Each structure stands twice: as C-alpha cells, then as structure tokens.
Amino acid sequence: MTSPSSGDREKVVSKLPTALQQDLKVRTAQHGVDIQHAVEAGITAWRGLGANLSPIETSGAKSFSTWLPPGQWEEFRRDCTARGVSLVQGLSQSVQVWLDRNPAPGIQRPAVVKRFIVCNQKGGVGKTAVTAGTGEALAEDAGRLHPVRVSKYLATARAGIEGGPALAPEDDPLEFEDLPGLGLRVLLVDFDPQCHLTKQLGHDPLPLEGDSLTKHMAGEGKAELSELIVTVADDRFGDRLHLLPACTDAFLLDVKLSGVRAREAALERALAPLEDEYDAILVDCPPSLGLSMDAAAYYGRRRPNEPSGNSGVLVVVQAEDSSADAYGLLTSQIEDLRSDMALELDYLGIVVNHYDARRGYIATSSLQNWMEIKDPRVVGLIGDLKEQKEAVRVKQPLLAYAPRSAQAVALRALAREIS
C-alpha cells in the first residue's frame, strides 16, 4: 500500500518479520544510513538478481513502513507477482540482500589503549558513578541500539544561566537518537581505598591478607594481577566490562610508594601487563593529592606516538563553591607534574555532576563559571536523579538498571565525547 508522497518519495506500508526489522534498524545505524535508502537499495538489488532466493520465514510479520522513490513500489509489486512470491516475502528477501551486502562494521579499536584518570581532590562529587557509567557506556553491545543524547542541561545550560527558565532534573532532555553501542573492552580500576566502585558494582573488596593492586605497585605482588579481575556481568556488556577490585590496604599506598623506585610510574608498571586485553582503562581515583594521585596522573600521560586526547584526566565536579576550591588544588598539582616531569598530560574535560537547577543561584552561577572555562571545557552535565542512587542500592550498573534514564543517556554522550 502507498500513501501520498513526502517530497520526492512516497510512503509504503507492508509487513516485515520482527527480527529483520530489528537487524535493519541496527545495521543502518551502524553504517549511518537511513532505513528508507537501505530498503530502496535492497529492492533494487533484489530486482537485479537472476534467480529467486531461498524463502524467508515470514509468519508473524509485523507492520512496516518506509519511504521509497515514486513508482518503485509498484514496479516491485509486479516483479513479485512475476516471480511467484508474496509482497512480504519479496520485501523480506530484499532487506536480507541489503544486510548481506552491508555487514556490520568492525569495532574501531584504539591503536594505544585509552587511559582515563577520573579524579578530584574533593570527595562526594560522584567520581565513582561517572567512572562506572562511562565505562559501561564504552562497553555496551555494538549489535544493539541504545538511547544517546546530550543532556538538555548541557545543550541549553548557557541560555538558562543567562536569564532563561531554570531547568529541573525531571525535565525531558532533547530528542535522543538510538545508536549502536561502542563495544569496547573496558577495565574499571578501583584505585580508592574506600572501595566504593567495587561495592557499587556488586563485588567484595579484596581481602587484606591477599594480593592487591597496592601490593603490585609496591613490588610485593604475589601472583598475576589479572587473576584479581572480575567481570561486570550483564548481557549488554557481554564479557567486555571488567573490574579490578580495590582493597583497603590502599590507605597505606602513599607510605609504600615513598620507598619505591620511580614511584610515579608504579601504577603503570602494575597495569601495563593488562593493557593488551583492553581498549580503555578507567581509574577511579581517591580524593587525594598524594603520591597515589601522582602515579595516576603519570599513567594518564600522553605516550610517544599517542594522539592528543586519547588518554588523560577527567575532572568530576559539582556546581558549588567547594568543588571550585578542590579543582584549583588538583589543577595546581597537575601543572606541577607537567612542569617537573615534562609530561604531556591532557585534560579530557570537566564533568559537572549532581546538577539540579532548583537549588537556585548557587548551582546556576557555579555552572556558569564551569561553562566559561575553555580549557578544559565542560564535556558532561549529569543530573542529580534517583536512578543512580537506586542502582547503587541494588548494586547494579546504572546502564543495566535504568538504561533509558536521563543519567544513562548523558553518560553515553560523555563516553562518545571523550572516546
């Protein structure tokens, strides 16, 4: 059935098996192609075949509509009649032809493992939630579609803080686009002795008497560090999202590092044997400016032949004054490291977390101050909403617990911004 034209195309309504509809939706998103153009190309290719294809199971086919060039559908109907196949069968075969000729693209893996150092000297700003959510977004299945959008807060924050209406956290974000996951192999490193990342993802901290990242950094490792890694299990991550749990012995890390040779490189020496297994490693740092932060920053430095922005420091803040004070202390330490050790250490950006414009002038004016910083710039604005707190309570990854929540889609946008 056809309907009146839209521009130079006419609407076509038919049926298509649900599985084929889903495959078509995912594959066109993977290639950045409109569904209508894929169906058009598939029909053209099917009509050019010299023989019929094997029949496709079409029982239970669901309604499907698209837009095709004027006249193509009627010509296609005649071809189906001539070949002795139903319209639904012919359309299904045409879509399958396009899918076969346009296989899913491979995952774009970085030449040098990405190393994201998530930090701030101030505690309670949400570093752990941002580390976990960003890692989850990087690891989501590339064969499925996930809602992605820049938060309405980030897209319209400048207008709002310059006199426009305040944005409440429950406001609907901008229209989002369903996109394939990034499909990267990700390691989350809990570098904080408080073990928040480990606990939030449903795992137990490593026992004090056993092996740990701290012991490996101090040269006291008992076995391979890889033996400590656990999987963050959920279908959307496959076996791509892993966690290196923390141990409370990390409270002693600065003391142990004080006697270690080339202590700034201690984290790199520990994690380097793991890097070939991952595309991205995210380090959830403690709220500290000690030797452990030096080691984390050194690990995030730009290596020889590594492109700018592939690795670096991601600073998590809140829209309030104490975050600004802590940010100043952190950036001073980073600048000292850059200068003293001649490091090429990139800022990946600032993430303003737990934002709620209903808190009034302090929140909106603080956000304006963050937005006015150009280097590093704000790359994410995450609302202070209940879903993250609920996910922590039930010890599930946010993107598995509430995959379509505003926080989840903002974290996906952040992951794409820095990856």
Side-chain angles (χ1 to χ4, degrees):
M1 181 177 95
T2 62
S3 299
S5 62
S6 173
D8 59 348
R9 306 179 80 85
E10 59 186 9
K11 185 176 182 180
V12 172
V13 179
S14 184
K15 290 185 177 181
L16 198 62
T18 302
L20 268 183
Q21 290 193 38
Q22 182 62 23
D23 288 347
L24 179 64
K25 187 177 180 181
V26 172
R27 193 70 54 80
T28 52
Q30 289 172 331
H31 286 281
V33 176
D34 288 336
I35 288 178
Q36 60 183 356
H37 293 119
V39 175
E40 175 188 350
I43 289 176
T44 299
W46 181 85
R47 294 180 65 203
L49 296 176
N52 281 344
L53 299 177
S54 299
I56 292 175
E57 177 58 54
T58 60
S59 60
K62 302 295 184 182
S63 178
F64 173 78
S65 64
T66 189
W67 297 86
L68 295 176
Q72 186 186 47
W73 188 247
E74 289 305 315
E75 294 172 354
F76 176 61
R77 291 172 66 98
R78 289 195 291 269
D79 282 354
C80 288
T81 300
R83 295 189 185 192
V85 298
S86 69
L87 199 58
V88 174
Q89 180 65 218
L91 179 60
S92 299
Q93 292 184 13
S94 298
V95 169
Q96 189 62 58
V97 167
W98 187 87
L99 291 170
D100 292 343
R101 294 187 178 187
N102 295 270
I107 302 298
Q108 297 299 309
R109 306 199 181 280
V112 180
V113 61
K114 296 175 178 293
R115 303 171 314 284
F116 301 150
I117 311 304
V118 186
C119 57
N120 195 333
Q121 181 270 341
K122 184 179 184 298
V125 296
K127 295 186 297 294
T128 297
V130 170
T131 302
T134 304
E136 293 161 23
L138 291 169
E140 280 187 311
D141 189 354
R144 295 167 60 181
L145 298 181
H146 313 275
V148 180
R149 57 193 167 195
V150 176
S151 169
K152 185 175 183 179
Y153 312 129
L154 184 56
T156 61
R158 191 171 302 279
I161 60 183
E162 291 175 356
L167 295 174
E170 70 274 11
D171 287 341
D172 288 335
L174 295 171
E175 289 297 322
F176 60 80
E177 183 177 6
D178 284 334
L179 295 176
L182 296 173
L184 299 183
R185 302 166 301 176
V186 176
L187 175 64
L188 303 173
V189 177
D190 193 346
F191 198 45
D192 188 340
Q194 299 174 92
C195 308
H196 290 320
L197 179 61
T198 300
K199 296 173 184 176
Q200 284 186 18
L201 293 176
H203 291 275
D204 295 325
L206 298 170
L208 270 172
E209 65 275 11
D211 211 356
S212 68
L213 177 58
T214 297
K215 291 184 175 67
H216 279 263
M217 292 178 65
E220 302 169 357
K222 301 175 182 179
E224 297 295 328
L225 191 60
S226 59
E227 296 179 11
L228 303 178
I229 292 174
V230 295
T231 299
V232 180
D234 191 88
D235 287 346
R236 69 181 52 246
F237 311 129
D239 190 30
R240 293 177 299 276
L241 184 61
H242 294 167
L243 168 70
L244 178 56
C247 177
T248 54
D249 67 356
F251 279 115
L252 304 174
L253 181 57
D254 279 10
V255 175
K256 288 180 174 291
L257 286 181
S258 63
V260 172
R261 175 186 56 84
R263 60 197 182 206
E264 292 84 1
L267 181 59
E268 181 161 314
R269 287 195 298 268
L271 295 180
L274 307 175
E275 290 182 355
D276 287 345
E277 301 299 319
Y278 297 99
D279 303 307
I281 297 177
L282 291 84
V283 180
D284 182 26
C285 293
S288 166
L289 293 177
L291 298 179
S292 56
M293 186 60 220
D294 285 352
Y298 183 88
Y299 185 57
R301 80 195 187 286
R302 194 189 318 163
R303 295 174 179 174
N305 301 318
E306 182 175 9
S308 175
N310 186 71
S311 300
V313 173
L314 185 67
V315 185
V316 181
V317 301
Q318 289 182 316
E320 40 84 40
D321 294 341
S322 60
S323 267
D325 296 337
Y327 172 79
L329 294 171
L330 174 65
T331 53
S332 294
Q333 181 179 11
I334 290 173
E335 292 310 313
D336 287 345
L337 283 169
R338 277 175 159 178
S339 176
D340 295 346
M341 302 185 68
L343 298 185
E344 289 187 307
L345 183 56
D346 296 330
Y347 286 103
L348 299 175
I350 297 171
V351 179
V352 182
N353 195 30
H354 296 164
Y355 180 69
D356 185 348
R358 294 176 302 181
R359 292 175 181 147
Y361 174 75
I362 291 177
T364 57
S365 62
S366 179
L367 175 60
Q368 181 174 12
N369 291 336
W370 292 121
M371 298 289 287
E372 289 173 351
I373 298 175
K374 302 303 181 185
D375 184 21
R377 63 190 177 89
V378 173
V379 293
L381 184 59
I382 314 297
D384 188 11
L385 302 172
K386 63 182 179 65
E387 286 82 4
Q388 177 63 55
K389 299 179 180 68
E390 293 172 351
V392 170
R393 173 63 63 88
V394 299
K395 300 186 185 306
Q396 290 185 19
L398 172 66
L399 272 65
Y401 175 77
R404 303 188 74 84
S405 65
Q407 290 165 317
V409 296
L411 285 163
R412 292 190 187 99
L414 170 62
R416 282 167 167 76
E417 184 71 24
I418 64 175
S419 65

